[in-house]
Amino acid sequence: IGSTDQEGTEDDLVALYAGDQLDTFDAAVLPDADMEDIDPAALGDYRQLRRAINPDAEELSWSDEDLLRALGCARRDDGRLKPTVAGIVLFGTAPALRRCFPMMRIDYIRVPGRQWVEDPDHRFDTLEIRAPLLTAIRRATNTVRDELIQSFALPEGALAREDEPTLPLRVIREAVVNAVMHRSYRIHGAIQIIRYANRLEIRNPGHSIKAEEQ
């Protein structure tokens, strides 16, 4: 970019100081975590979702240990198998998530009206979603969907009505998944899904390469 001054973001500084490390952040072993911090139910959830996509996937027959190692969610450290950052974020138990990543959560915030603060005495209601990523994505998507206005439809020949949210479920899911994928897990902060009277805003921690106005 030539001889110009560029303001460094927090992500830039972390990458600068960690430049001599060979491991990526998500593959790093957490010192204060062990395999007991992996939730078997979260692993079962992953297997179920994978089976729905490809029932013949070879990794479905692997043990939990082999599966975690293949996904980069566990590594051997001093002869012991230990979970990585990715392992805790994807499959960690509730105590492990709160201990290792206290701000790794999704906040669903209901704001009355169309502005951030309209009533100083009743600003907003917040629902915290703190769970392994696959579970958190599903909970957040369902929470948004359940609170949207439903449109009524009665297809020709059908005996029962069908209620559809004003926003398609795939749109909601895509927005939530993008926020989870593109947030920075190096810095503290929660993903915020803010529901106003006329719109949804989703904010995730980190630095965007595109200006907010765009």
Side-chain angles (χ1 to χ4, degrees), residues 10-151:
E10 190 164 353
D11 284 351
D12 294 332
L13 294 176
V14 170
L16 177 66
Y17 289 122
D20 58 341
Q21 297 179 358
L22 298 178
D23 295 336
T24 59
F25 176 71
D26 57 346
V29 171
L30 288 169
D32 188 28
D34 52 44
M35 296 308 293
E36 293 182 357
D37 292 320
I38 297 296
D39 186 356
L43 272 174
D45 193 18
Y46 171 83
R47 290 181 183 275
Q48 182 178 352
L49 292 171
R50 186 73 179 110
R51 189 176 294 109
I53 296 173
N54 182 9
D56 300 322
E58 61 177 353
E59 61 268 27
L60 293 174
S61 62
W62 298 346
S63 67
D64 288 348
E65 178 178 321
D66 289 339
L67 179 61
L68 288 169
R69 293 185 68 186
L71 294 174
C73 293
R75 294 177 55 188
R76 294 210 174 272
D77 184 53
D78 291 335
R80 294 178 55 201
L81 191 66
K82 300 197 68 177
T84 62
V85 169
I88 296 298
V89 169
L90 286 167
F91 303 114
T93 62
L97 286 169
R98 187 174 288 273
R99 183 179 72 249
C100 300
F101 298 99
M103 290 299 292
M104 203 285 291
R105 66 173 195 265
I106 301 175
D107 288 343
Y108 181 73
I109 304 171
R110 306 179 188 91
V111 177
R114 300 185 178 187
Q115 298 179 6
W116 176 245
V117 178
E118 285 195 344
D119 183 358
D121 297 324
H122 182 67
R123 290 189 174 186
F124 45 73
D125 297 319
T126 304
L127 172 66
E128 284 189 9
I129 300 173
R130 192 192 303 270
L133 277 193
L134 296 178
T135 304
I137 289 170
R138 187 165 56 247
R139 288 182 185 173
T141 301
N142 290 338
T143 299
V144 173
R145 180 197 61 189
D146 292 343
E147 295 209 344
L148 287 177
I149 298 174
Q150 304 286 318
S151 61

Side-chain angles (χ1 to χ4, degrees), residues 185-198:
Y185 288 91
R186 291 190 180 96
I187 63 178
H188 290 292
I191 294 173
Q192 293 182 333
I193 303 175
I194 309 173
R195 193 206 72 183
Y196 293 93
N198 64 334

